[in-house]
Each structure stands twice: as C-alpha cells, then as structure tokens.
Amino acid sequence: MAKGIDKRKIESKRKRRQMLDPSRRALAQAKTGEPTRLERETMLETLGGQLARIDMRVAQDVDNVRHTRRGALPLGFLMYPLKGPKGEELTDVAIGGLGLSSDDIEASEHFKTLNATCGRLNLKLRLDHRYLADHPELTRSLFVVIDGWT
Amino acid sequence: MTPQQVLDVIGRHELWLQRQQGGSRANLSGLNLSGFQLNQLNLQSARLSGANLSRSIMTGTDLSYSDMFCANLDSADLRDATLMRSDMRGARVRGANFTGADLTEADLRGGALVAAIASGPATLIRSDLSHSAMDEATLRSANLSGADLSNSTMVGANLENALLCGALLSGVNLAGARLKGADLSGANLSDASLEGAELAGANLSGCILGNTRLQRADLMGANLEALDLGKADLTGAKLSRSEKSLSRPVREILRDHQVWISENGRRGTRAQLVKADLSFVDFNDINLSGAEMDRAILRGARLVKSQFVMTDLAGADLREADLAQAVMDGVNLVDADLSGARLSEAMLGAVDIKGPDGKKTGRKWPANLAGAKLVNADLTGADLRHANLTNADLTGAKLGGAKLEGANLHQARVDQSQLAQADK
C-alpha cells in the first residue's frame, strides 16, 4: 500500500515538472494527440533562438568558406540544420504535425531579422528541406541555406 | 506525385518555356523521381533542388540553368544531356553517366554544414561525382571546387578554365583532357592519369601528387609551385617552370650570382645550389658559371645557350635537360645523369688556366664527364675536345659531328659506329 502512495506522488511530481517546463509540456501534450498553440509557440521559440544564433555568426561563417583566403577551399553555400526542442533533427513531418509550415517560420521576427542581415551582406537566405542521408525517404530535414556569393 | 502528375508538370513547363498560355515553371524540388524516364525533354530552368533523381534516365535532356542544388543523381544516365550553367552545388552524382554531356559553367561547388547550436567545426559537403563516366564531356569554366571526382573517367573531357581547387581527383582518368587555364590548386591527383592532357597555363600549385601519370602532358606555363614533381611520371611531358615558381631563397641566390658574375666577384655571391631542385626550370641564356651545383636536380630544365663554365655539376640530375649551344667549358659533370639530354652544339671543351697576372699559362682545365650517363643524349656537333669521358656511358648517344679531339674515352661505353660519325 505504501508503495502505491509513493508511485502516485512520484507521478504527480513528474506531471507538475512537465507543466512548468514549456518544452517538456509540449512534448507531453504531443503524445496525447492534437497539437496545441503552446506546442507551436514552443517550436517557433526554439527555432527563433537558432535563427538568432545564425544571425550572429553568419558573416564570420561566410568569410570562412568563400574564396577570400589563400589555401581556403572555395565553397558555394552554408547549410544550418534546424533542431527541435530536444535537439533532434527537425523533419518536415514533425513541423507539419504541429500545424506549422515553412511560411510560419519565414514570417517569424527572427527569420526577418536574419533575412535583413543577409541582405546587408549581399547574401541569399532560404528555408529548405533536404535529403542528406543514404536513405533519403527516411530523413527529409529542415535547413537554413545561405549562399549568393560567386 | 504520380508519374502522370509529373508528366503534367513537365508539359506545363514546356508551355512556360514557349511562353504559351497555361504554362508554369516546373517545380519538382524534393520529389522522389528515382528511376524515372526523363530523356530528350526540355527541362531548362526547372526546379529540381533536393530531388531524388537516382537511376533516372535523362539522355539528351536539356537541364541548362536548372536548379539541382543538393539533388541525388546517383547512377543517373545523363549522356549527351545539356547542363549548361546548372546549379548542382552539393549534388550527389555517384556513378552517373555524363558521356558527351555539356556542363559548361555548371556550378558543382561544395558547401559547409554548420551546427547553429554547437560551436563545432563545419562539416564539408562535397559535390560527389565519384566513379562517374564523363568521357568527352564539356566542363568549360565549370566550378568543381572541392568536388569529389575520384575514380571517374574523363578521357578527352574539355575542362578549359574550369575551377577544380581542392577537388578530389585521385584515380581519375583525365587522359587527353583539355585543362588549359584550369585551376587545380590543392587538388589531390594521386594515382590520377593525365597522359597527354593539355595543362598549359593551368594552376597546379600545391597539388598532391603520388603515382600521378603525366606522360606527354603539356604543362608549358603551368604554375607548378609547391609541387613534388618527383612523385609523377613526366616522361615526354612538355614542361617549364618560370623563375617565379622557385622559392624566394633560390631566387635570391640566382640574383646574387648574376651580380657576382657581372662584377667579376667584387660584389654578389657565388651560387651555392647543392642538391637544389631546379627541375623543369626555364633558364635559357642564364649564366651559372662557377656555381656550386653538385647533385642539383635539373631534370627537363631548359638551359639553351646557358653558361656553365667551370660549374660544379657532379652527380647532378640533368635527364632530358635542353643544353643546346650551352657553354660548359671546364664543367664538372662527374657521375652526372644526362640521359636523353640535348647537348647539340654545346661547348664542353677545356678552359685556359690563367696565371695571377691574367695571362694564359698554357695549361688547360678540361670538362670532366667521368662516369657521366649520356644514354641517348644528343651530342650532335658538341665540342668535347680534351674532355674526360672515362667510364662515361654513351649508349645510344648521337655523336654526329661532335669534336672528340684529345678526349679521354678510356672504358667509355660507346661503339665504333657512333665514333665513326664524330668529327675527329
């Protein structure tokens, strides 16, 4: 009997923790069925953080890969894989499951800011779904692609 | 998308290209079109980025200006296809057949996969064209920087002015390929075959060579900086290195030596180029008289009308060097390898020894070719009077009109028929 009470307490504590943590809450709700507004917001918030980080580093990254330095291998593009709240590879299925599309991400403030930064640097920015693994049917992931230099 | 829907998209695309009503640009990005029959179609400017076109058949299809960014074209049949100015950055094209295809100005650069969250190093994404057939394909001005072309066959391909910086070309067959003005800097050419390839004016600086076959290749005017030519087979290759391709210390030594010559030793410094690698240099008319150059590598060097009076070239590698009309009186060529060298009308006579007063003493300092290897060398009309040729190997050497008066041929390998042609 004592063991039964303990289990209930532990379960109750776990649920409380989930409700306090937005990413855990979103994941917990995702298991139950319909995506909620909160889940979508959590995802957009997670992606927003990543877009903000790309915004901070893009100028340096581009400088590193274009043929400006002797001996550097001239590359034609930069690809930043986007990740989910748990750091998992973000597939188009996962995004669609939350009722989100590329348009929603492109309409976010962080994406617009990154687009403005790329514009100032004469670069092109786009969201792209890419197959990169050997079995493309299984992994169609979401990437930010930056290019535009010759 | 069903095959019929794909055909509808292509149909509307053709209308779009003809600017007819109801047409729209094909967007087949990200679709799985593996194994589709898409031959002899007009897919100019079509959007195919990220599409899976592996094993598809696109013979004779026009894909110019198309977007095939990161597309999968593994084992695709693209024979005689037109891919002019297509965007194939990061594409995967392993084992594809591009025989006779036109990839003029196509962009096949790689990219970098950068983790936005972690601050680790970027992962290189190379356009992968390994094991592909690209014989007779046109890749003029194409950008293949960093691309993986290993073990591909590109016999007779046209790669004029193409960018191949840092490309993986190991095991590639580029026999007879046209690479004039191409930039191959930093490319890996180990086990590659470039037999008879045209590489005039190409940039080969920093290329990785190893068992690289460059027989009969035309490398005139090519940038050969930081290139270990010892790791390549250059038999019959046309090759010359300008003074600019030499290291700065060697260039300074040569400059100081010219001053030493012109100032009669009052200024400048006598060149010390012991074991220096000067292979394939173009030094016509240079004056290296009196220089210390024993065991120097001068293989294939162009030294026409140059001066090597009293120069120490003992043990030097002068195979296939062009020393026609060179002035080499009193030179030390003991144990030097002059196989296949051109020494026609070269002066290899003796120098008059002068006393402290500058007057001739009547004694002579002969050219010393003892033990030198002169197999198949061209000594037509050369002046070898009083030269020491003991133990020299003159097998197959041309001696027509050569002056051998007073020369010491003790134990030299030379047959009577050769000597009969000489001018005694």
Side-chain angles (χ1 to χ4, degrees):
Chain A
M1 186 66 188
K3 273 186 183 174
I5 293 163
D6 284 344
K7 268 189 180 176
R8 276 200 300 276
K9 276 186 180 174
I10 290 163
E11 187 59 21
S12 158
K13 273 186 182 176
R14 193 180 64 79
K15 281 185 179 169
R16 230 183 1 256
R17 271 204 306 274
Q18 279 181 356
M19 293 312 285
L20 290 169
D21 182 338
S23 60
R24 279 169 175 269
R25 188 168 49 206
L27 284 165
Q29 284 166 345
K31 287 175 188 168
T32 61
E34 286 296 300
T36 65
R37 190 178 142 204
L38 196 60
E39 282 179 288
R40 284 193 288 273
E41 282 174 1
T42 304
M43 180 59 85
L44 287 172
E45 202 176 299
T46 305
L47 296 176
Q50 290 169 56
L51 294 168
R53 284 190 202 99
I54 296 168
D55 188 54
M56 283 191 286
R57 61 182 296 174
V58 65
Q60 185 60 55
D61 286 346
V62 170
D63 190 48
N64 287 342
V65 300
R66 61 198 297 185
H67 202 190
T68 51
R69 283 179 298 177
R70 190 181 159 83
L73 185 62
L75 299 175
F77 60 94
L78 282 168
M79 273 179 125
Y80 297 90
L82 293 175
K83 306 281 183 183
K86 283 179 80 181
E88 77 279 14
E89 204 165 85
L90 200 61
T91 62
D92 48 359
V93 176
I95 289 283
L98 292 172
L100 289 170
S101 68
S102 299
D103 292 345
D104 296 313
I105 301 167
E106 283 166 3
S108 70
E109 280 310 309
H110 287 295
F111 191 89
K112 285 177 187 168
T113 308
L114 178 58
N115 200 27
T117 303
C118 289
R120 277 198 304 278
L121 296 166
N122 292 319
L123 303 170
K124 287 179 188 166
L125 162 74
R126 67 178 185 276
L127 271 182
D128 224 327
H129 298 275
R130 287 283 159 254
Y131 299 123
L132 278 179
D134 279 346
H135 302 287
E137 295 79 11
L138 302 176
T139 53
R140 200 166 179 253
S141 305
L142 196 62
F143 292 88
V144 167
V145 179
I146 291 171
D147 58 11
W149 60 92
T150 51
Chain B
M1 201 178 263
T2 63
Q4 188 53 51
Q5 285 171 319
V6 172
L7 286 175
D8 290 345
V9 169
I10 292 167
R12 284 197 296 276
H13 183 74
E14 287 187 339
L15 289 176
W16 177 74
L17 288 171
Q18 291 158 16
R19 299 182 182 207
Q20 287 183 26
Q21 218 171 15
S24 61
R25 186 179 173 187
N27 187 356
L28 299 163
S29 300
L31 291 182
N32 188 0
L33 303 168
S34 179
F36 270 53
Q37 293 261 359
L38 299 165
N39 43 321
Q40 305 294 342
L41 293 174
N42 191 350
L43 286 168
Q44 262 186 48
S45 307
R47 288 185 183 131
L48 290 153
S49 72
N52 181 6
L53 290 152
S54 58
R55 297 185 301 282
S56 61
I57 297 160
M58 293 189 278
T59 52
T61 292
D62 190 348
L63 288 151
S64 351
Y65 304 94
S66 65
D67 177 7
M68 290 197 280
F69 179 77
C70 285
N72 183 349
L73 288 144
D74 280 355
S75 305
D77 188 350
L78 288 145
R79 280 174 295 163
D80 300 313
T82 307
L83 294 129
M84 235 169 64
R85 301 199 80 167
S86 57
D87 180 0
M88 294 177 78
R89 289 172 299 153
R92 194 177 135 144
V93 204
R94 277 150 69 162
N97 193 343
F98 283 98
T99 307
D102 185 356
L103 288 121
T104 303
E105 291 183 46
D107 192 351
L108 283 142
R109 281 176 294 171
L113 189 67
V114 192
I117 300 170
S119 55
T123 308
L124 177 65
I125 307 167
R126 290 181 188 271
S127 296
D128 188 353
L129 292 109
S130 57
H131 299 275
S132 290
M134 303 180 94
D135 295 346
E136 304 294 336
T138 302
L139 290 132
R140 271 183 299 118
S141 306
N143 196 338
L144 292 141
S145 299
D148 183 356
L149 288 147
S150 54
N151 300 303
S152 288
T153 164
M154 301 177 87
V155 177
N158 185 347
L159 287 141
E160 286 176 8
N161 300 310
L163 295 170
L164 288 145
C165 327
L168 295 182
L169 294 159
S170 50
V172 73
N173 187 355
L174 279 157
R178 282 170 278 167
L179 287 144
K180 273 183 193 168
D183 188 350
L184 291 123
S185 52
N188 185 342
L189 284 162
S190 50
D191 295 308
S193 173
L194 290 124
E195 287 179 49
E198 289 175 23
L199 287 148
N203 182 4
L204 288 150
S205 59
C207 273
I208 300 163
L209 300 181
N211 193 29
T212 309
R213 295 181 293 285
L214 282 156
Q215 298 102 308
R216 298 181 307 284
D218 182 358
L219 289 147
M220 295 298 287
N223 181 352
L224 305 172
E225 208 177 315
L227 204 61
D228 188 354
L229 289 167
K231 290 182 174 171
D233 184 347
L234 290 151
T235 312
K238 284 189 207 166
L239 183 58
S240 76
R241 280 161 81 188
S242 66
E243 197 180 323
K244 278 183 196 171
S245 72
L246 300 171
S247 66
R248 185 182 290 230
V250 171
R251 291 204 303 265
E252 281 170 7
I253 288 168
L254 292 168
R255 259 198 303 276
D256 285 350
H257 188 78
Q258 299 314 305
V259 175
W260 184 72
I261 295 272
S262 60
E263 297 288 323
N264 288 317
R266 287 188 297 272
R267 284 175 55 221
T269 316
R270 183 183 179 192
Q272 297 282 340
L273 290 162
V274 176
K275 291 185 180 173
D277 184 359
L278 301 164
S279 52
F280 302 101
V281 285
D282 192 342
F283 273 174
N284 291 339
D285 290 315
I286 199 168
N287 191 342
L288 283 163
S289 297
E292 290 283 340
M293 299 180 76
D294 56 295
R295 288 163 290 161
I297 302 158
L298 285 149
R299 188 185 168 195
R302 292 162 68 84
L303 302 158
V304 178
K305 293 185 183 172
S306 294
Q307 293 182 58
F308 291 95
V309 178
M310 302 289 283
T311 304
D312 185 2
L313 283 159
D317 181 358
L318 284 148
R319 282 176 293 166
E320 286 132 23
D322 192 346
L323 288 148
Q325 297 177 56
V327 181
M328 304 177 82
D329 294 324
V331 69
N332 181 7
L333 283 162
V334 173
D335 294 327
D337 191 348
L338 290 134
S339 303
R342 192 167 158 238
L343 288 145
S344 50
E345 294 178 45
M347 308 284 282
L348 288 145
V351 175
D352 288 312
I353 297 174
K354 290 174 186 170
D357 55 356
K359 290 180 181 169
K360 289 180 184 176
T361 60
R363 286 185 292 142
K364 288 187 181 292
W365 186 274
N368 193 351
L369 290 103
K373 207 171 172 183
L374 288 147
V375 178
N376 296 322
D378 183 359
L379 287 151
T380 313
D383 185 351
L384 287 150
R385 282 178 292 180
H386 306 287
N388 179 5
L389 285 153
T390 52
N391 291 310
D393 187 353
L394 287 142
T395 310
K398 290 180 193 166
L399 290 165
K403 295 177 183 75
L404 288 163
E405 185 193 322
N408 183 353
L409 286 154
H410 180 65
Q411 289 190 329
R413 273 195 192 180
V414 60
D415 61 41
Q416 289 305 311
S417 62
Q418 285 173 282
L419 291 173
Q421 293 169 2
D423 178 11
K424 288 181 182 171

